[in-house]
Amino acid sequence: MSIKEMIGAAISNPLTFFFRIEGDRQLRWVFAVLVALSVLFITSSTTVLAYQKHSGDLTHYPITHCVLLLASWVSCAVISKMDPKVFNRYAIFMCLAGLALVVMTMFIGVEINGSRRWLSLGFANLQSSEVAKIGLIFYVAKVLSVHRNDTKKAFLPIMVMTAVVCGPIVTENLSTVMLILFTVFSMMFIGKVPLKYTLGLVLVGLLIGYIV
């Protein structure tokens, strides 16, 4: 859907445009169930914190979480209607932008519990590694698409970019690096990259975990 078509759809039927997520029906149900469960988990796990920081207001964290979920749902609905070629075209720029945020976090990030993982936006903190992870996913998808007829050629550029993105993150956030490696491995496996190459990524992940 082009930008002009999206604007027309938003004006003609805003409820459908902003709240209906396009794509696989089963995936939408999984997403909805995870959203519902997250509210339950947040409510049950923040009781003590609510008494400590918000005078026993047990609704503070669940309401904040629901507002963020609503914003996320609307974002998913809008993005699902965009032309996938847009993400393909700008994948490398999104990946490099995420990497730039990670590098910025190393120098001017907010230190919480001994780790420097967040950038302060004033009203909230941004975990830059999550932005880098999304950018890397777009990049891996683009490379697999370009080399779909000879997936062996996709391995080297994917490995290089994965190493570049994970390098600045690993010392502060090993769990995120492990998740990134698992995601990249899954994409390469589904993209039919030869198994001997994908297993190489697993070995790299194990080596990083051992060293760190």
Side-chain angles (χ1 to χ4, degrees):
M1 186 179 290
S2 65
I3 299 297
K4 184 177 181 180
E5 291 172 335
M6 290 177 66
I7 294 174
I11 295 174
S12 62
N13 198 339
L15 287 178
T16 299
F17 181 80
F18 289 109
F19 291 99
R20 178 181 173 80
I21 298 176
E22 304 295 335
D24 186 85
R25 183 178 181 183
Q26 285 73 24
L27 188 60
R28 293 201 301 266
W29 274 108
V30 170
F31 182 52
V33 170
L34 291 175
V35 165
L37 289 175
S38 71
V39 176
L40 295 177
F41 294 153
I42 287 293
T43 303
S44 63
S45 64
T46 56
T47 303
V48 175
L49 200 59
Y51 276 99
Q52 291 176 344
K53 295 190 174 183
H54 298 283
S55 304
D57 183 7
L58 300 179
T59 63
H60 174 80
Y61 290 106
I63 289 177
T64 302
H65 184 65
C66 286
V67 171
L68 294 174
L69 284 176
L70 180 61
S72 300
W73 189 284
V74 171
S75 299
C76 287
V78 173
I79 291 172
S80 71
K81 296 174 177 64
M82 295 177 65
D83 187 346
K85 292 179 181 179
V86 173
F87 304 108
N88 191 311
R89 187 179 305 125
Y90 297 108
I92 183 65
F93 299 105
M94 289 187 284
C95 191
L96 292 177
L99 178 61
L101 290 176
V102 169
V103 174
M104 287 174 59
T105 304
M106 296 172 62
F107 297 99
I108 61 172
V110 178
E111 186 171 330
I112 300 177
N113 296 327
S115 297
R116 197 181 296 273
R117 304 179 181 178
W118 294 269
L119 280 175
S120 177
L121 301 179
F123 60 91
N125 290 331
L126 173 69
Q127 190 166 356
S128 55
S129 60
E130 293 299 313
V131 179
K133 180 171 66 177
I134 294 172
L136 181 61
I137 289 172
F138 284 129
Y139 175 78
V140 172
K142 175 184 176 65
V143 173
L144 289 173
S145 175
V146 170
H147 298 292
R148 57 185 175 274
N149 295 323
D150 187 4
T151 53
K152 290 186 292 185
K153 294 181 179 179
F155 177 74
L156 185 58
I158 289 175
M159 284 294 292
V160 170
M161 186 59 76
T162 301
V164 169
V165 170
C166 290
I169 300 174
V170 66
T171 56
E172 297 289 342
N173 198 346
L174 178 60
S175 59
T176 295
V177 169
M178 292 294 103
L179 183 58
I180 289 173
L181 292 177
F182 176 76
T183 302
V184 173
F185 169 81
S186 301
M187 294 178 70
M188 291 171 65
F189 181 77
I190 295 172
K192 298 181 179 180
V193 175
L195 189 59
K196 62 181 179 181
Y197 294 109
T198 53
L199 289 178
L201 185 63
V202 174
L203 293 176
V204 170
L206 293 174
L207 182 61
I208 291 174
Y210 175 77
I211 294 174
V212 176

mmCIF file of all heavy atoms in Angstrom, residues 44-77:
data_model
loop_
_atom_site.group_PDB
_atom_site.id
_atom_site.type_symbol
_atom_site.label_atom_id
_atom_site.label_comp_id
_atom_site.label_asym_id
_atom_site.label_seq_id
_atom_site.Cartn_x
_atom_site.Cartn_y
_atom_site.Cartn_z
ATOM 1 N N SER A 44 0.903 -8.773 38.166
ATOM 2 C CA SER A 44 1.305 -9.627 39.283
ATOM 3 C C SER A 44 2.732 -9.368 39.761
ATOM 4 O O SER A 44 3.039 -9.601 40.933
ATOM 5 C CB SER A 44 1.161 -11.097 38.884
ATOM 6 O OG SER A 44 2.040 -11.421 37.810
ATOM 7 N N SER A 45 3.589 -8.877 38.888
ATOM 8 C CA SER A 45 5.010 -8.733 39.240
ATOM 9 C C SER A 45 5.383 -7.350 39.747
ATOM 10 O O SER A 45 6.524 -7.135 40.169
ATOM 11 C CB SER A 45 5.887 -9.081 38.035
ATOM 12 O OG SER A 45 5.666 -8.166 36.964
ATOM 13 N N THR A 46 4.450 -6.395 39.720
ATOM 14 C CA THR A 46 4.786 -5.023 40.126
ATOM 15 C C THR A 46 4.073 -4.594 41.399
ATOM 16 O O THR A 46 4.084 -3.416 41.743
ATOM 17 C CB THR A 46 4.432 -4.031 38.999
ATOM 18 O OG1 THR A 46 3.040 -4.165 38.659
ATOM 19 C CG2 THR A 46 5.275 -4.287 37.761
ATOM 20 N N THR A 47 3.474 -5.540 42.114
ATOM 21 C CA THR A 47 2.725 -5.202 43.324
ATOM 22 C C THR A 47 3.619 -4.530 44.366
ATOM 23 O O THR A 47 3.291 -3.455 44.889
ATOM 24 C CB THR A 47 2.095 -6.470 43.932
ATOM 25 O OG1 THR A 47 1.265 -7.093 42.962
ATOM 26 C CG2 THR A 47 1.254 -6.107 45.147
ATOM 27 N N VAL A 48 4.743 -5.150 44.681
ATOM 28 C CA VAL A 48 5.655 -4.597 45.684
ATOM 29 C C VAL A 48 6.202 -3.249 45.229
ATOM 30 O O VAL A 48 6.289 -2.297 46.004
ATOM 31 C CB VAL A 48 6.808 -5.588 45.951
ATOM 32 C CG1 VAL A 48 7.820 -4.963 46.911
ATOM 33 C CG2 VAL A 48 6.272 -6.888 46.524
ATOM 34 N N LEU A 49 6.571 -3.158 43.954
ATOM 35 C CA LEU A 49 7.106 -1.906 43.413
ATOM 36 C C LEU A 49 6.083 -0.783 43.493
ATOM 37 O O LEU A 49 6.435 0.372 43.750
ATOM 38 C CB LEU A 49 7.546 -2.128 41.953
ATOM 39 C CG LEU A 49 8.533 -1.127 41.354
ATOM 40 C CD1 LEU A 49 9.830 -1.098 42.157
ATOM 41 C CD2 LEU A 49 8.813 -1.460 39.903
ATOM 42 N N ALA A 50 4.820 -1.129 43.279
ATOM 43 C CA ALA A 50 3.758 -0.118 43.362
ATOM 44 C C ALA A 50 3.644 0.445 44.776
ATOM 45 O O ALA A 50 3.439 1.649 44.962
ATOM 46 C CB ALA A 50 2.432 -0.733 42.933
ATOM 47 N N TYR A 51 3.795 -0.403 45.786
ATOM 48 C CA TYR A 51 3.750 0.068 47.172
ATOM 49 C C TYR A 51 4.977 0.893 47.522
ATOM 50 O O TYR A 51 4.901 1.867 48.269
ATOM 51 C CB TYR A 51 3.636 -1.124 48.127
ATOM 52 C CG TYR A 51 2.211 -1.598 48.318
ATOM 53 C CD1 TYR A 51 1.730 -2.696 47.620
ATOM 54 C CD2 TYR A 51 1.349 -0.921 49.190
ATOM 55 C CE1 TYR A 51 0.416 -3.127 47.776
ATOM 56 C CE2 TYR A 51 0.029 -1.338 49.364
ATOM 57 C CZ TYR A 51 -0.427 -2.450 48.651
ATOM 58 O OH TYR A 51 -1.730 -2.866 48.810
ATOM 59 N N GLN A 52 6.119 0.529 46.947
ATOM 60 C CA GLN A 52 7.362 1.232 47.261
ATOM 61 C C GLN A 52 7.453 2.600 46.611
ATOM 62 O O GLN A 52 7.953 3.555 47.213
ATOM 63 C CB GLN A 52 8.556 0.378 46.828
ATOM 64 C CG GLN A 52 8.758 -0.886 47.646
ATOM 65 C CD GLN A 52 9.901 -1.738 47.111
ATOM 66 O OE1 GLN A 52 10.353 -1.563 45.976
ATOM 67 N NE2 GLN A 52 10.383 -2.677 47.926
ATOM 68 N N LYS A 53 6.983 2.713 45.366
ATOM 69 C CA LYS A 53 7.206 3.939 44.606
ATOM 70 C C LYS A 53 5.945 4.735 44.286
ATOM 71 O O LYS A 53 6.039 5.895 43.868
ATOM 72 C CB LYS A 53 7.935 3.601 43.299
ATOM 73 C CG LYS A 53 9.344 3.058 43.517
ATOM 74 C CD LYS A 53 10.115 2.978 42.210
ATOM 75 C CE LYS A 53 11.560 2.580 42.453
ATOM 76 N NZ LYS A 53 12.371 2.556 41.208
ATOM 77 N N HIS A 54 4.761 4.130 44.413
ATOM 78 C CA HIS A 54 3.535 4.831 44.016
ATOM 79 C C HIS A 54 2.433 4.705 45.062
ATOM 80 O O HIS A 54 1.244 4.629 44.724
ATOM 81 C CB HIS A 54 3.047 4.301 42.658
ATOM 82 C CG HIS A 54 4.018 4.521 41.543
ATOM 83 N ND1 HIS A 54 4.199 5.736 40.934
ATOM 84 C CD2 HIS A 54 4.915 3.673 40.961
ATOM 85 C CE1 HIS A 54 5.138 5.640 40.011
ATOM 86 N NE2 HIS A 54 5.591 4.401 40.000
ATOM 87 N N SER A 55 2.824 4.672 46.321
ATOM 88 C CA SER A 55 1.890 4.690 47.455
ATOM 89 C C SER A 55 0.807 3.625 47.355
ATOM 90 O O SER A 55 -0.363 3.869 47.699
ATOM 91 C CB SER A 55 1.240 6.083 47.565
ATOM 92 O OG SER A 55 2.229 7.090 47.687
ATOM 93 N N GLY A 56 1.167 2.462 46.854
ATOM 94 C CA GLY A 56 0.219 1.354 46.798
ATOM 95 C C GLY A 56 -0.759 1.415 45.644
ATOM 96 O O GLY A 56 -1.749 0.668 45.612
ATOM 97 N N ASP A 57 -0.484 2.296 44.670
ATOM 98 C CA ASP A 57 -1.361 2.386 43.493
ATOM 99 C C ASP A 57 -1.069 1.204 42.561
ATOM 100 O O ASP A 57 -0.179 1.265 41.724
ATOM 101 C CB ASP A 57 -1.133 3.711 42.769
ATOM 102 C CG ASP A 57 -2.066 3.883 41.576
ATOM 103 O OD1 ASP A 57 -2.970 3.041 41.390
ATOM 104 O OD2 ASP A 57 -1.875 4.864 40.827
ATOM 105 N N LEU A 58 -1.859 0.146 42.690
ATOM 106 C CA LEU A 58 -1.616 -1.071 41.923
ATOM 107 C C LEU A 58 -1.962 -0.938 40.440
ATOM 108 O O LEU A 58 -1.632 -1.803 39.642
ATOM 109 C CB LEU A 58 -2.418 -2.233 42.525
ATOM 110 C CG LEU A 58 -2.104 -2.583 43.983
ATOM 111 C CD1 LEU A 58 -2.995 -3.725 44.455
ATOM 112 C CD2 LEU A 58 -0.641 -2.951 44.144
ATOM 113 N N THR A 59 -2.630 0.151 40.084
ATOM 114 C CA THR A 59 -3.035 0.329 38.682
ATOM 115 C C THR A 59 -1.991 1.084 37.856
ATOM 116 O O THR A 59 -2.098 1.128 36.627
ATOM 117 C CB THR A 59 -4.366 1.095 38.590
ATOM 118 O OG1 THR A 59 -4.193 2.420 39.142
ATOM 119 C CG2 THR A 59 -5.460 0.366 39.364
ATOM 120 N N HIS A 60 -0.995 1.681 38.520
ATOM 121 C CA HIS A 60 -0.049 2.538 37.803
ATOM 122 C C HIS A 60 0.678 1.781 36.697
ATOM 123 O O HIS A 60 0.647 2.187 35.523
ATOM 124 C CB HIS A 60 0.969 3.135 38.777
ATOM 125 C CG HIS A 60 2.062 3.907 38.099
ATOM 126 N ND1 HIS A 60 1.881 5.199 37.655
ATOM 127 C CD2 HIS A 60 3.340 3.550 37.754
ATOM 128 C CE1 HIS A 60 3.002 5.614 37.083
ATOM 129 N NE2 HIS A 60 3.907 4.648 37.129
ATOM 130 N N TYR A 61 1.336 0.685 37.048
ATOM 131 C CA TYR A 61 2.119 -0.046 36.061
ATOM 132 C C TYR A 61 1.253 -0.747 35.007
ATOM 133 O O TYR A 61 1.590 -0.711 33.810
ATOM 134 C CB TYR A 61 3.045 -1.036 36.752
ATOM 135 C CG TYR A 61 4.164 -0.354 37.502
ATOM 136 C CD1 TYR A 61 4.150 -0.273 38.891
ATOM 137 C CD2 TYR A 61 5.229 0.237 36.816
ATOM 138 C CE1 TYR A 61 5.176 0.365 39.584
ATOM 139 C CE2 TYR A 61 6.245 0.887 37.502
ATOM 140 C CZ TYR A 61 6.215 0.945 38.883
ATOM 141 O OH TYR A 61 7.222 1.590 39.564
ATOM 142 N N PRO A 62 0.139 -1.399 35.394
ATOM 143 C CA PRO A 62 -0.717 -2.003 34.357
ATOM 144 C C PRO A 62 -1.266 -0.981 33.365
ATOM 145 O O PRO A 62 -1.320 -1.252 32.159
ATOM 146 C CB PRO A 62 -1.852 -2.648 35.170
ATOM 147 C CG PRO A 62 -1.242 -2.945 36.495
ATOM 148 C CD PRO A 62 -0.291 -1.803 36.750
ATOM 149 N N ILE A 63 -1.652 0.205 33.858
ATOM 150 C CA ILE A 63 -2.194 1.230 32.949
ATOM 151 C C ILE A 63 -1.102 1.738 32.011
ATOM 152 O O ILE A 63 -1.316 1.891 30.800
ATOM 153 C CB ILE A 63 -2.809 2.394 33.752
ATOM 154 C CG1 ILE A 63 -4.110 1.941 34.433
ATOM 155 C CG2 ILE A 63 -3.087 3.590 32.834
ATOM 156 C CD1 ILE A 63 -4.746 3.002 35.308
ATOM 157 N N THR A 64 0.082 1.996 32.579
ATOM 158 C CA THR A 64 1.206 2.431 31.741
ATOM 159 C C THR A 64 1.514 1.388 30.676
ATOM 160 O O THR A 64 1.741 1.717 29.503
ATOM 161 C CB THR A 64 2.453 2.672 32.605
ATOM 162 O OG1 THR A 64 2.162 3.657 33.597
ATOM 163 C CG2 THR A 64 3.613 3.141 31.747
ATOM 164 N N HIS A 65 1.501 0.133 31.091
ATOM 165 C CA HIS A 65 1.778 -0.965 30.164
ATOM 166 C C HIS A 65 0.713 -1.028 29.062
ATOM 167 O O HIS A 65 1.045 -1.237 27.884
ATOM 168 C CB HIS A 65 1.822 -2.280 30.937
ATOM 169 C CG HIS A 65 2.192 -3.467 30.106
ATOM 170 N ND1 HIS A 65 3.427 -3.605 29.509
ATOM 171 C CD2 HIS A 65 1.484 -4.584 29.763
ATOM 172 C CE1 HIS A 65 3.473 -4.743 28.845
ATOM 173 N NE2 HIS A 65 2.320 -5.355 28.975
ATOM 174 N N CYS A 66 -0.534 -0.856 29.427
ATOM 175 C CA CYS A 66 -1.623 -0.915 28.439
ATOM 176 C C CYS A 66 -1.530 0.229 27.431
ATOM 177 O O CYS A 66 -1.830 0.041 26.242
ATOM 178 C CB CYS A 66 -2.983 -0.881 29.148
ATOM 179 S SG CYS A 66 -3.414 -2.422 29.990
ATOM 180 N N VAL A 67 -1.110 1.404 27.897
ATOM 181 C CA VAL A 67 -0.930 2.535 26.975
ATOM 182 C C VAL A 67 0.167 2.218 25.962
ATOM 183 O O VAL A 67 0.018 2.459 24.757
ATOM 184 C CB VAL A 67 -0.585 3.822 27.756
ATOM 185 C CG1 VAL A 67 -0.176 4.941 26.796
ATOM 186 C CG2 VAL A 67 -1.776 4.263 28.600
ATOM 187 N N LEU A 68 1.265 1.650 26.444
ATOM 188 C CA LEU A 68 2.352 1.273 25.549
ATOM 189 C C LEU A 68 1.926 0.157 24.590
ATOM 190 O O LEU A 68 2.296 0.160 23.406
ATOM 191 C CB LEU A 68 3.565 0.817 26.361
ATOM 192 C CG LEU A 68 4.239 1.906 27.216
ATOM 193 C CD1 LEU A 68 5.334 1.298 28.084
ATOM 194 C CD2 LEU A 68 4.799 3.012 26.333
ATOM 195 N N LEU A 69 1.126 -0.784 25.087
ATOM 196 C CA LEU A 69 0.622 -1.856 24.229
ATOM 197 C C LEU A 69 -0.286 -1.304 23.135
ATOM 198 O O LEU A 69 -0.235 -1.760 21.987
ATOM 199 C CB LEU A 69 -0.146 -2.887 25.065
ATOM 200 C CG LEU A 69 0.685 -3.850 25.908
ATOM 201 C CD1 LEU A 69 -0.238 -4.729 26.749
ATOM 202 C CD2 LEU A 69 1.576 -4.716 25.025
ATOM 203 N N LEU A 70 -1.111 -0.339 23.486
ATOM 204 C CA LEU A 70 -2.002 0.269 22.492
ATOM 205 C C LEU A 70 -1.186 0.957 21.404
ATOM 206 O O LEU A 70 -1.475 0.810 20.206
ATOM 207 C CB LEU A 70 -2.932 1.277 23.172
ATOM 208 C CG LEU A 70 -3.919 2.006 22.255
ATOM 209 C CD1 LEU A 70 -4.859 1.012 21.570
ATOM 210 C CD2 LEU A 70 -4.731 3.039 23.040
ATOM 211 N N ALA A 71 -0.145 1.688 21.811
ATOM 212 C CA ALA A 71 0.718 2.348 20.831
ATOM 213 C C ALA A 71 1.410 1.316 19.947
ATOM 214 O O ALA A 71 1.542 1.504 18.730
ATOM 215 C CB ALA A 71 1.747 3.214 21.549
ATOM 216 N N SER A 72 1.838 0.204 20.559
ATOM 217 C CA SER A 72 2.503 -0.861 19.792
ATOM 218 C C SER A 72 1.542 -1.511 18.811
ATOM 219 O O SER A 72 1.900 -1.811 17.668
ATOM 220 C CB SER A 72 3.060 -1.916 20.748
ATOM 221 O OG SER A 72 3.992 -1.348 21.639
ATOM 222 N N TRP A 73 0.310 -1.746 19.261
ATOM 223 C CA TRP A 73 -0.696 -2.378 18.390
ATOM 224 C C TRP A 73 -0.979 -1.496 17.176
ATOM 225 O O TRP A 73 -1.048 -1.979 16.039
ATOM 226 C CB TRP A 73 -1.960 -2.645 19.184
ATOM 227 C CG TRP A 73 -2.972 -3.473 18.441
ATOM 228 C CD1 TRP A 73 -3.795 -3.058 17.427
ATOM 229 C CD2 TRP A 73 -3.236 -4.877 18.608
ATOM 230 N NE1 TRP A 73 -4.563 -4.098 16.980
ATOM 231 C CE2 TRP A 73 -4.242 -5.220 17.678
ATOM 232 C CE3 TRP A 73 -2.729 -5.852 19.454
ATOM 233 C CZ2 TRP A 73 -4.755 -6.517 17.590
ATOM 234 C CZ3 TRP A 73 -3.237 -7.136 19.366
ATOM 235 C CH2 TRP A 73 -4.222 -7.456 18.437
ATOM 236 N N VAL A 74 -1.161 -0.201 17.425
ATOM 237 C CA VAL A 74 -1.422 0.737 16.322
ATOM 238 C C VAL A 74 -0.230 0.766 15.367
ATOM 239 O O VAL A 74 -0.401 0.770 14.138
ATOM 240 C CB VAL A 74 -1.722 2.149 16.871
ATOM 241 C CG1 VAL A 74 -1.780 3.166 15.735
ATOM 242 C CG2 VAL A 74 -3.032 2.151 17.643
ATOM 243 N N SER A 75 0.980 0.767 15.921
ATOM 244 C CA SER A 75 2.183 0.760 15.076
ATOM 245 C C SER A 75 2.229 -0.492 14.203
ATOM 246 O O SER A 75 2.526 -0.414 13.009
ATOM 247 C CB SER A 75 3.440 0.822 15.951
ATOM 248 O OG SER A 75 3.456 2.008 16.711
ATOM 249 N N CYS A 76 1.916 -1.650 14.803
ATOM 250 C CA CYS A 76 1.897 -2.904 14.037
ATOM 251 C C CYS A 76 0.848 -2.852 12.926
ATOM 252 O O CYS A 76 1.088 -3.316 11.808
ATOM 253 C CB CYS A 76 1.615 -4.084 14.965
ATOM 254 S SG CYS A 76 2.987 -4.535 16.031
ATOM 255 N N ALA A 77 -0.316 -2.302 13.252
ATOM 256 C CA ALA A 77 -1.392 -2.226 12.264
ATOM 257 C C ALA A 77 -0.994 -1.351 11.078
ATOM 258 O O ALA A 77 -1.236 -1.704 9.917
ATOM 259 C CB ALA A 77 -2.667 -1.685 12.920
#
